[in-house]
Amino acid sequence: MKEQIGFERLTGLIAFARAGSLGSYTAAARSLAVSPSAISKSIQRLERHLGVTLFTRTTRALTFTPEGRDLHERVLKLLRDAEEIEQVAKSARSEPAGTFRIATSLPIGLHMIAPAITIFRQRHPKVMIDLRLSDHISGLTEESIDIAVRIGELADSSLISRRLSPYKLCCYASPAYLAMHGTPQHPDELAGHQTVNLRYQSSGQVFRWPFRMGEKEIEIVPSSSVIVDASEGVLAAIAAGAGIGMATNFMADRWVSRKELVPVLADFAVERHNISAIWPESRRSNPAVRAFLDMLIELF
């Protein structure tokens, strides 16, 4: 008779699958809410039981051995099957309940999703929210994510998506800065002002500022004296009077309502329609996904 798989080996397979998908023990530990040492020990026990080495480890990288790569594909299939069983059980309920995992970037999470969570839980008190904020885009299935909200154009995939409402990209500055330096009336006048720009953490590239000029859209890269690698930092800097910066209206609206920021060059602001909710096919009939998507469409 075949030996039945034990709980310890199941946890080892889950740890191995997550580490392989995310590329590090630290990322796997963060996604599973355990310590990196727990991930390491689980994988070591699995390797001893199987009698094979699954990863080649260096100080900088975690790469599969040939045996590890083959096993990883098999384990992912096993976990996808387990996910489908769970989703079938959840879809049998008409009322959303249980843990609902949402993934999004920090700006969208802070300014759109986090404020909406209270409304969602008031409507569906049996749901427990697990909100994960990161600019790292990983496999939703591998991390057991129910729905993600992303900004930008989506890569072709098997995921289901729904566009949310458009937003605007506009320049902003503090009232004190504008009182001291004046308000530009055209993007060409930005050359005579202090500006604060964003550097993308993923690529190291600075943000190119788009402006609507009649029927055309142009982009400029201002010569900024302050560059920040987080959009919240850009807003904080310009609110403190560091200069003029560009941000999305859904991020800046609260600063504007508190009169800490003022829109600048609003006639040249551009509209974007690239915020999307995405979810795996296996979540199509999940009541919580349907309810959360309905709420996002209602609010945004």
Side-chain angles (χ1 to χ4, degrees):
M1 185 176 71
K2 290 184 178 180
E3 180 186 1
Q4 290 185 337
I5 190 168
F7 177 76
E8 189 174 89
R9 261 177 282 158
L10 279 174
T11 60
L13 290 171
I14 293 170
F16 164 64
R18 198 62 59 89
S21 295
L22 299 180
S24 75
Y25 287 176
T26 300
R30 189 182 303 117
S31 71
L32 292 171
V34 297
S35 67
S37 64
I39 295 292
S40 177
K41 289 175 182 177
S42 290
I43 294 174
Q44 287 173 8
R45 286 193 294 266
L46 181 64
E47 288 178 323
R48 285 196 298 270
H49 175 78
L50 297 175
V52 297
T53 300
L54 300 173
F55 291 118
T56 299
R57 304 169 183 82
T58 67
T59 55
R60 289 191 162 201
L62 190 68
T63 57
F64 289 116
T65 62
E67 296 84 359
R69 184 172 302 281
D70 179 65
L71 182 63
H72 189 252
E73 293 300 321
R74 295 171 183 267
V75 173
L76 287 181
K77 182 180 184 305
L78 173 67
L79 295 179
R80 283 193 292 267
D81 290 343
E83 283 284 335
E84 288 180 9
I85 293 171
E86 180 182 1
Q87 293 308 311
V88 167
K90 285 184 176 180
S91 64
R93 300 192 300 253
S94 58
E95 181 182 5
T99 301
F100 184 55
R101 298 176 182 87
I102 309 165
T104 191
S105 63
L106 183 62
I108 293 176
L110 289 178
H111 298 280
M112 296 176 64
I113 305 303
I117 284 174
T118 299
I119 299 172
F120 186 72
R121 291 207 68 254
Q122 287 172 347
R123 297 178 182 179
H124 309 287
K126 294 183 180 179
V127 174
M128 186 183 80
I129 301 294
D130 182 353
L131 177 59
R132 305 181 185 187
L133 304 181
S134 173
D135 289 326
H136 172 70
I137 300 177
S138 56
L140 303 192
T141 302
E142 287 82 351
E143 293 203 42
S144 300
I145 300 299
D146 295 304
I147 194 168
V149 180
R150 297 296 184 194
I151 190 169
E153 297 306 316
L154 301 175
D156 292 336
S157 73
S158 60
L159 299 173
I160 306 170
S161 65
R162 170 67 185 263
R163 294 280 190 187
L164 301 179
S165 295
Y167 62 94
K168 286 187 176 181
L169 279 164
C170 184
C171 287
Y172 297 89
S174 70
Y177 174 87
L178 296 176
M180 182 176 296
H181 299 280
T183 302
Q185 302 301 312
H186 190 278
D188 290 344
E189 297 177 27
L190 288 171
H193 283 267
Q194 298 294 318
T195 57
V196 180
N197 204 2
L198 172 72
R199 178 192 292 118
Y200 293 107
Q201 294 182 11
S202 58
S203 65
Q205 300 296 312
V206 293
F207 178 53
R208 302 178 67 86
W209 293 17
F211 294 97
R212 174 63 61 185
M213 300 279 200
E215 297 300 317
K216 296 182 179 180
E217 184 177 302
I218 67 162
E219 290 182 341
I220 67 169
V221 179
S223 179
S224 300
S225 55
V226 178
I227 297 177
V228 188
D229 68 355
S231 50
E232 284 296 317
V234 171
L235 287 168
I238 61 178
I244 298 172
M246 181 171 280
T248 63
N249 67 294
F250 66 80
M251 292 181 61
D253 281 348
R254 293 188 182 184
W255 297 82
V256 172
S257 66
R258 296 195 300 260
K259 302 186 186 307
E260 295 179 66
L261 289 177
V262 176
V264 176
L265 300 173
D267 291 341
F268 301 91
V270 300
E271 187 173 88
R272 291 284 185 265
H273 195 186
N274 62 353
I275 297 181
S276 302
I278 56 176
W279 61 99
E281 173 68 31
S282 62
R283 303 303 199 274
R284 181 190 291 273
S285 57
N286 185 315
V289 170
R290 294 198 304 268
F292 191 73
L293 183 61
D294 288 344
M295 187 194 69
L296 289 180
I297 294 170
E298 172 190 335
L299 296 178
F300 307 114

